[in-house]
Amino acid sequence: MPERILTRLFEHHNWANLRILDACASLSDEQFDFQPQTAVRGTIREMLDHLVTSQEDYTWMLIRFDHPPDRASRLSLSALRELTIETGRELISWADSASDELMNSRIDLSDGYRVEPGVIITQVINHATEHREQIKSLLTSLGVEPPRIDGWQFGRHSGALIPPAAA
């Protein structure tokens, strides 16, 4: 049962990341590179790149026990979407097959740290949630309606939240 909950969390996580990327697909370069004068630091372009490439890093740590190749330049929006789909599928598949033994193991990272998978999982979810909310805030400041990516909306999308029958 706990493995299925973890799978559902990753399914929501991947769905929410893709919804954010889709919401940004029609932005102009000026909007992508808008530097806000708010508490949010960075542009939408920078945050999307960081969000997706960080997920790739965490996926490598969790599944491949290594560090991904260094990237010299930012990825295009379509490349970010492809990478989100790829790493999202890997995380969901990993969660589907994660055993208690695996979840209680420790992973040796390339910088010498040893970490339990739960720490990386927490970082995957928390990190993305923070940046998705920052991007939503920037979209709002640009006059663009951000997508709903909350659990209730995901429940509707996935058929897990069923409205009461009409009387």
Side-chain angles (χ1 to χ4, degrees):
M1 179 67 169
E3 291 83 10
R4 186 64 190 141
I5 292 169
L6 181 56
T7 299
R8 293 300 280 173
L9 284 171
F10 277 135
E11 287 171 350
H12 168 265
H13 166 81
N14 194 50
W15 171 83
N17 284 346
L18 291 170
R19 297 257 307 159
I20 288 293
L21 285 162
D22 290 346
C24 295
S26 62
L27 297 178
S28 68
D29 282 338
E30 182 180 82
Q31 289 171 311
F32 262 121
D33 296 322
F34 171 70
Q35 184 64 55
Q37 301 301 314
T38 65
V40 175
R41 185 173 171 204
T43 67
I44 290 175
R45 185 184 313 273
E46 292 166 341
M47 277 189 255
L48 285 173
D49 189 80
H50 175 69
L51 170 76
V52 174
T53 58
S54 293
Q55 176 164 301
E56 181 184 36
D57 290 350
Y58 303 141
T59 303
W60 276 70
M61 286 178 210
L62 190 61
I63 297 172
R64 298 186 186 118
F65 311 112
D66 200 349
H67 189 69
D70 290 327
R71 194 173 291 99
S73 61
R74 294 205 189 284
L75 298 173
S76 68
L77 189 60
S78 63
L80 289 173
R81 193 171 202 295
E82 288 175 29
L83 187 55
T84 298
I85 291 168
E86 174 190 333
T87 56
R89 283 183 184 152
E90 287 181 83
L91 290 169
I92 291 166
S93 176
W94 181 88
D96 271 342
S97 63
S99 65
D100 287 342
E101 182 180 339
L102 177 62
M103 292 302 291
N104 292 315
S105 67
R106 288 209 162 76
I107 298 168
D108 295 317
L109 300 179
S110 61
D111 60 5
Y113 279 88
R114 296 188 81 211
V115 63
E116 293 178 8
V119 173
I120 299 170
I121 292 165
T122 301
Q123 182 61 16
V124 168
I125 301 293
N126 187 62
H127 179 261
T129 300
E130 289 178 357
H131 287 304
R132 287 191 304 253
E133 288 305 312
Q134 290 172 330
I135 293 166
K136 285 173 56 179
S137 177
L138 286 175
L139 289 170
T140 299
S141 73
L142 292 168
V144 176
E145 181 72 25
R148 282 196 51 201
I149 55 174
D150 58 82
W152 298 118
Q153 192 66 24
F154 178 68
R156 286 181 187 94
H157 166 79
S158 64
L161 177 63
I162 301 160

